[in-house]
Amino acid sequence: MGNPGAAVTSASSLHGALNPLAPHYSRFRVGERLLLTGHSHQAWPDRAFDGQSRAWEDAAEYVDRKWERAAERADRVRDGFARLLDCAPGTLSLGANTHELVVRWLSALPLRERSTVVTTDAEFHSARRQLRRLEEAGLRVVWVPAYPSESVGERLARAVDDRVAAVLVSTVFFDSAELAGGLLDVARACDAHGAALLLDVYHQLNVVPFSVKTQGLENTYVVGGGYKYCQLGEGNCFLRSPPDSELRPVITGWYAEFDELERADPSRVSHGPLSSRFAGATYDPTSHYRAAEVFAFFDEMGLVPELLREVSQHQVALLRERFDALDLPPDLVSRRELPLERLAGFLALRSLRATELQSALARRGVFTDARGEVLRFGPAPYLGATQLADAMLALGEAARALV
């Protein structure tokens, strides 16, 4: 199985039937189970348990004085996300989930002067539901078709004018794994009309390299988290702001002025630096203890986004190849023909019976998920080639049982 202490030196070293990373995930038993939910909840490395334990020990030892130590872990998490985004740590506010961060961000927009928000019809539920409810309450929302995904940026850009306060769009769509194309077009249109742009990178972070600098997106806001490909578990999300951002959220927690409490003027609302401007209030710091250890583990193992992208592309290609070999009726289950490089970290299969297939796979010991008419297979860097092949064989059995 390889040396448990050795760093990964190449993507090809993770392509074999047995994966040398698996021993580092013994508590999740990744070598014994077919966990194809890597696009939703990846296993945590054993190192994460050390962080959870330390959080408990610090709470027991220091009680209410634990927060200084918790803040140090939060700084490590902020640093980890900053490396993945290629931005300054001081531009990142942390939150328990993307919804709370997006709500605070929306509350900062000048919606009295600019009453329109532009988005796509394929955003994840946390944004989709909130925007639908705001639309019911009177906000004008323009829903731009997300597909074809390679040209979504052009359509979004055409929808931006001087009435638009903001554009919200995912860089990878959760129902297809397709990369959103033309995002620089949207960024330029927003700059030209004074609108804010929020990119949701949750399905891109740590599986498809992303850089606000090299991609010309330094003026954008970026939201995401570590529940999926970062393996950080729950409670680890962020909102990145442009360094010159002047947005002040209306919905604001007291942690946004945490560093100024002793000298704060109670008659006015002050906001701290970008690292806390969109912060909430008291939270469970266990998430940051765990995440700090996982970021350290990834660093020590050499699991950088470029390598993880190579591994992911190899795994998705293998899943596609094995699925095609099943030769299943396309009216039962099919996939869209796209170049591999247009896909992020999972394989999306279309089926009117996706939920039935997902349940049938679960009975066969294969963990997947279904979103409406989409059955999603999400590999992870600790899975072996044999496990991916076995999962597809199980799909063949499940599908034929429905015919």
Side-chain angles (χ1 to χ4, degrees):
M1 297 289 286
N3 180 0
V8 176
T9 57
S10 68
S12 60
S13 66
L14 303 180
H15 292 172
L18 298 176
N19 193 307
L21 281 179
H24 295 281
Y25 297 79
S26 63
R27 291 180 180 273
F28 269 75
R29 296 185 289 113
V30 302
E32 304 168 26
R33 301 190 287 178
L34 298 180
L35 300 178
L36 272 295
T37 52
H39 56 288
S40 178
H41 183 315
Q42 291 207 4
W44 306 341
D46 296 340
R47 180 76 168 269
F49 189 80
D50 299 337
Q52 297 245 155
S53 300
R54 175 57 64 184
W56 201 100
E57 292 166 358
D58 279 0
E61 177 66 22
Y62 301 105
V63 198
D64 201 41
R65 293 183 293 113
K66 71 186 179 186
W67 291 105
E68 180 179 342
R69 290 162 178 79
E72 189 271 334
R73 266 67 178 194
D75 286 341
R76 290 197 221 168
V77 175
R78 191 176 283 108
D79 289 343
F81 282 135
R83 289 194 297 273
L84 295 178
L85 297 169
D86 193 19
C87 69
T91 62
L92 297 175
S93 289
L94 301 180
N97 54 70
T98 57
H99 177 257
E100 68 174 57
L101 291 165
V102 170
V103 166
R104 292 183 203 126
W105 184 80
L106 288 169
S107 79
L109 298 175
L111 295 176
R112 284 197 181 97
E113 297 79 25
R114 293 168 168 261
S115 58
T116 301
V117 169
V118 177
T119 189
T120 80
D121 59 3
E123 298 306 307
F124 187 66
H125 308 306
S126 55
R128 184 267 314 164
R129 174 182 168 85
Q130 189 62 70
L131 291 175
R132 285 291 185 194
R133 182 66 187 92
L134 289 170
E135 188 176 40
E136 291 178 351
L139 180 68
R140 181 172 181 262
V141 182
V142 176
W143 303 89
V144 172
Y147 298 101
S149 59
E150 54 267 32
S151 56
V152 64
E154 300 170 19
R155 293 188 294 279
L156 287 167
R158 288 197 296 269
V160 179
D161 58 30
D162 292 341
R163 298 169 297 174
V164 172
V167 176
L168 295 82
V169 59
S170 297
T171 62
V172 173
F173 295 116
F174 82 99
D175 61 349
S176 66
E178 294 182 28
L179 290 157
L183 294 181
L184 190 55
D185 293 334
V186 193
R188 289 169 176 162
C190 287
D191 286 345
H193 291 279
L197 173 60
L198 179 67
L199 300 178
D200 180 347
V201 299
Y202 220 140
H203 266 291
Q204 178 163 355
L205 200 68
N206 221 28
V207 70
V208 181
F210 179 87
S211 168
V212 294
K213 292 180 181 178
T214 61
Q215 292 174 232
L217 299 171
E218 291 182 287
N219 289 337
T220 65
Y221 294 83
V222 184
V223 69
Y227 187 65
K228 307 180 190 301
Y229 304 98
C230 292
Q231 304 178 6
L232 307 183
E234 302 86 349
N236 291 293
C237 291
F238 63 85
L239 173 65
R240 181 265 177 187
S241 300
D244 60 352
S245 172
E246 296 182 355
L247 290 187
R248 297 173 66 244
V250 174
I251 298 173
T252 180
W254 68 279
Y255 266 41
E257 61 177 8
F258 190 88
D259 295 333
E260 303 177 6
L261 286 177
E262 297 303 320
R263 56 185 181 276
D265 180 352
S267 67
R268 64 180 296 273
V269 177
S270 63
H271 287 84
L274 291 177
S275 59
S276 60
R277 187 173 302 175
F278 292 91
T282 309
Y283 71 104
D284 181 357
T286 303
S287 57
H288 289 162
Y289 277 81
R290 180 180 62 242
E293 291 299 324
V294 175
F295 270 130
F297 168 76
F298 268 61
D299 287 344
E300 292 165 13
M301 297 301 296
L303 297 174
V304 296
E306 292 75 16
L307 181 143
L308 293 170
R309 173 62 167 168
E310 289 186 53
V311 173
S312 174
Q313 289 271 275
H314 174 81
Q315 292 179 327
V316 171
L318 179 58
L319 287 172
R320 295 207 309 181
E321 176 186 317
R322 294 286 180 162
F323 171 74
D324 292 345
L326 294 175
D327 197 24
L328 296 172
D331 58 343
L332 175 62
V333 58
S334 63
R335 70 173 180 87
R336 186 181 174 197
E337 287 288 347
L338 278 176
L340 186 63
E341 60 270 18
R342 291 282 310 141
L343 298 177
F346 63 92
L347 174 64
L349 301 177
R350 300 280 169 176
S351 175
L352 295 175
R353 306 179 73 176
T355 302
E356 292 179 74
L357 287 170
Q358 187 268 332
S359 297
L361 285 166
R363 291 192 294 271
R364 290 168 169 80
V366 181
F367 293 75
T368 60
D369 70 10
R371 302 289 191 190
E373 297 179 1
V374 179
L375 179 65
R376 302 191 301 179
F377 283 77
Y382 43 73
L383 294 179
T386 299
Q387 292 173 293
L388 302 179
D390 287 347
M392 276 298 144
L393 287 174
L395 174 62
E397 295 174 2
R400 293 186 179 95
L402 294 180
V403 176

